Amino acid sequence: MPEHPDYPALVAGCTAVLEAINSGEQGLSILDRLLRSAAQTLDTPGLAFVEYGPSGGRVVAAIGAAGWAIGHPLPPADQVAAPLLTGPPVQALEVEVLPAELAHQLDGAGLRHVLAARVEISGLTIGALYAFYPDATRLDCAEHRAVLGFLAAGAAHLYRDQAGLPVHGDGSVVAALADGLAIVNRDGIVQLWNPAAERVTGLRAAEVLDQPLPIPVPPPGQVLDHRLPDGRWLTITAGDLPGATGARVVTFSDSSDQQLRDHDRDLFVAVTSHELRTPVTVIKGYADTLTTHWDSLSESDRRQAAGVIGQRAGELARLVDRLLASTNDAGRVGGSPPMPFDLVEALRAAADNLPTELRHRLVVRLPEQLPKALGDRASLDTVLTELVTNAGKYSPEGTPVELTAEADRRTVAFRVSDRGIGVRPDHVERAFERFWQADSGDRRRYPGAGLGLYLVRRIVERQNGWVSLRPRDGGGTVAEVRLPRG
């Protein structure tokens, strides 16, 4: 092993990252570039980046021997996060401090040591960068620690700029760091205008200081939504400044995403109403026909009408199930407690239960057998149906959708792959949000309520598994589900 980091590789890697940013790249693809630069510089066989938010952490980027962990969730107070929150910014750890399934998987790959760097903004930890090694040779090297800390600081800068980050999309911790703050005197004249206020409003401090506040101020204890001339929305709060008679502290943040989510909910109601109305109308029409014209219909016509009623009733039942599941708490999604089951047999059975059009498009390439998976076998029909439906919806009509499976030392996995429009790197996490679709154009071209992937993630994670999306080499999307071995 080289004694020092590969500094030429570091310079070349950072240059490539900066060039990519300057060309408009952002979000997950930049994190991935950062990891690849770190891997070459530090000569590590595996790296992972964990993003932390209010609800816990998730591996949002990983390469090399750790690449399998993409999409894996971590609890809010997992053992490896705790020392990172208060200890030195870069620390040497053993893989045993990681959650058990991650630790066993890494240990099986011969990676038993971790160099971890905290990613923080203004003292708040928003992520962590992990470099894995087979031995402890590098862990005490000051240069390796310094390089990993430098790359973690680069990741923090990306989050501060919020260029396609956070990946999760909820990011309330990071969003709070970007709140604008102004102090106005009793006459409403601006005395302080922080850098975040410049970013949020686009107004420089020199334009605002000693001038009337350019946004309205709500009464104390109230919240005001205000639309800027460029169409963006601000959420504004205000309070009295202690010790300064009549002075006010005004805070504001860009709430355009929240306004968009409110719009999405309205869209969800409209789309759901439409999707419910369509099968109900067809069912009623055929039922009325059978009732009114039974004697004049041939046996063939009656069977055809009954078949359509059954098909549409099935569609209606599936839609209702999805709507009900989307409003349940996570603990009630997924059926019975996890039990060992034959994943290959379950996948074949679930494939046979797919709607006819999807079943004809599915190319099944499963091994004869795999180790048993630990999970809820009954929920696999729902998971596979949603993933294949999603793959079929976003790929050209008639093109194949592939189903494959594999196992490693700790997990059993299956993949649904298509050759469709592909998933953008900055959408691989947002796609799992309830009601979410890529944009209004996609809603028109690919109608739906935006519930399928949301339900898949809830069902799979209840079984201590995880699901992820990634672009497919050559075009298209790969959806991967991993469950613990039984």
Side-chain angles (χ1 to χ4, degrees):
M1 287 186 178
E3 185 177 343
H4 304 288
D6 186 344
Y7 290 112
L10 177 64
V11 173
C14 290
T15 300
V17 168
L18 291 173
E19 289 176 347
I21 293 173
N22 290 338
S23 68
E25 246 182 85
Q26 59 178 3
L28 204 60
S29 61
I30 296 297
L31 282 179
D32 187 69
R33 285 181 180 272
L34 198 67
L35 262 61
R36 296 189 185 282
S37 173
Q40 189 172 359
T41 303
L42 300 174
D43 192 28
T44 173
L47 282 115
F49 184 88
V50 173
E51 178 182 281
Y52 286 102
S55 58
R58 190 175 298 277
V59 179
V60 297
I63 62 170
W68 58 272
I70 290 177
H72 196 292
L74 288 88
D78 67 272
Q79 291 172 296
V80 75
L84 278 176
L85 295 177
T86 57
V90 180
Q91 300 180 48
L93 305 166
E94 304 295 321
V95 294
E96 284 78 6
V97 305
L98 292 166
E101 66 275 16
L102 292 176
H104 289 310
Q105 184 80 11
L106 291 164
D107 185 72
L111 303 178
R112 299 177 176 86
H113 302 273
V114 188
L115 198 60
R118 186 164 63 236
V119 177
E120 61 181 8
I121 304 175
S122 301
L124 291 178
T125 299
I126 52 91
L129 184 59
Y130 300 112
F132 301 101
Y133 293 98
D135 55 53
T137 306
R138 305 293 181 80
L139 301 189
D140 293 326
C141 175
E143 292 181 58
H144 281 78
R145 289 175 176 246
V147 167
L148 194 67
F150 166 74
L151 294 169
H157 184 77
L158 294 174
Y159 274 80
R160 185 181 292 278
D161 287 349
Q162 294 186 275
L165 298 167
V167 176
H168 282 301
D170 58 5
S172 57
V173 172
V174 176
L177 300 174
D179 281 359
L181 183 145
I183 294 179
V184 297
N185 63 20
R186 61 189 306 167
D187 298 319
I189 303 301
V190 178
Q191 305 296 299
L192 182 145
W193 191 256
N194 76 342
E198 293 187 345
R199 291 195 300 271
V200 170
T201 65
L203 297 173
R204 298 191 307 275
E207 303 174 82
V208 177
L209 290 174
D210 299 321
Q211 301 293 323
L213 187 68
I215 57 176
V217 180
Q222 296 186 23
V223 178
L224 174 68
D225 289 323
H226 171 69
R227 192 170 189 177
L228 295 172
D230 62 7
R232 291 181 299 118
W233 287 85
L234 298 182
T235 296
I236 308 170
T237 60
D240 294 329
L241 181 65
T245 305
R248 307 285 295 279
V249 177
V250 183
T251 60
F252 42 94
S253 60
D254 190 328
S255 57
S256 303
D257 286 345
Q258 181 60 51
Q259 295 288 335
L260 180 60
R261 283 192 287 270
D262 292 342
H263 168 74
D264 286 347
R265 279 192 288 272
D266 293 340
L267 178 68
F268 166 74
V269 172
V271 169
T272 301
S273 299
H274 170 75
E275 291 198 2
L276 286 170
R277 188 179 298 112
T278 300
V280 167
T281 301
V282 173
I283 290 170
K284 186 177 186 304
Y286 275 91
D288 288 347
T289 299
L290 287 174
T291 301
T292 307
H293 303 289
W294 179 271
D295 293 333
S296 62
L297 293 173
S298 67
E299 181 67 20
S300 174
D301 289 338
R302 293 171 186 165
R303 289 184 178 276
Q304 181 183 5
V308 172
I309 290 173
Q311 177 188 356
R312 292 294 186 165
E315 294 174 4
L316 184 60
R318 284 193 294 273
L319 177 59
V320 171
D321 285 344
R322 293 166 75 195
L323 294 173
L324 291 174
S326 72
T327 58
N328 284 344
D329 59 83
R332 291 185 291 175
V333 176
S336 58
M339 298 286 289
F341 69 94
D342 185 332
L343 180 65
V344 172
E345 183 274 330
L347 286 172
R348 293 189 188 279
D352 289 340
N353 291 331
L354 289 171
T356 303
E357 192 273 334
L358 292 176
R359 190 168 65 248
H360 289 164
R361 293 180 64 177
L362 189 66
V363 177
V364 179
R365 295 189 175 125
L366 298 175
E368 288 299 319
Q369 61 181 12
L370 287 173
K372 288 188 180 298
L374 184 64
D376 176 23
R377 186 197 184 286
S379 70
L380 200 67
D381 277 18
T382 299
V383 171
L384 185 65
T385 299
E386 297 297 348
L387 293 180
V388 175
T389 299
N390 197 66
K393 185 167 76 169
Y394 290 103
S395 55
E397 185 175 352
T399 58
V401 175
E402 299 174 22
L403 174 63
T404 58
E406 66 174 23
D408 55 34
R409 292 182 70 250
R410 302 300 304 177
T411 63
V412 185
F414 68 92
R415 300 185 183 97
V416 174
S417 309
D418 64 65
R419 287 295 184 188
I421 62 174
V423 59
R424 285 169 40 181
D426 54 327
H427 287 170
V428 296
E429 279 296 317
R430 294 207 66 193
F432 292 100
E433 294 178 12
R434 184 163 55 168
F435 312 147
W436 189 85
Q437 287 184 326
D439 56 39
S440 58
D442 276 351
R443 290 191 185 95
R444 289 191 291 269
R445 293 174 57 198
Y446 311 106
L451 287 173
L453 292 178
Y454 167 78
L455 292 177
V456 167
R457 172 160 278 182
R458 295 181 77 195
I459 291 170
V460 171
E461 291 190 355
R462 182 182 181 273
Q463 302 170 57
N464 299 316
W466 68 96
V467 58
S468 61
L469 292 180
R470 63 177 179 271
R472 186 180 186 183
D473 293 340
T477 301
V478 177
E480 180 178 88
V481 173
R482 285 192 175 269
L483 294 171
R485 283 177 55 159

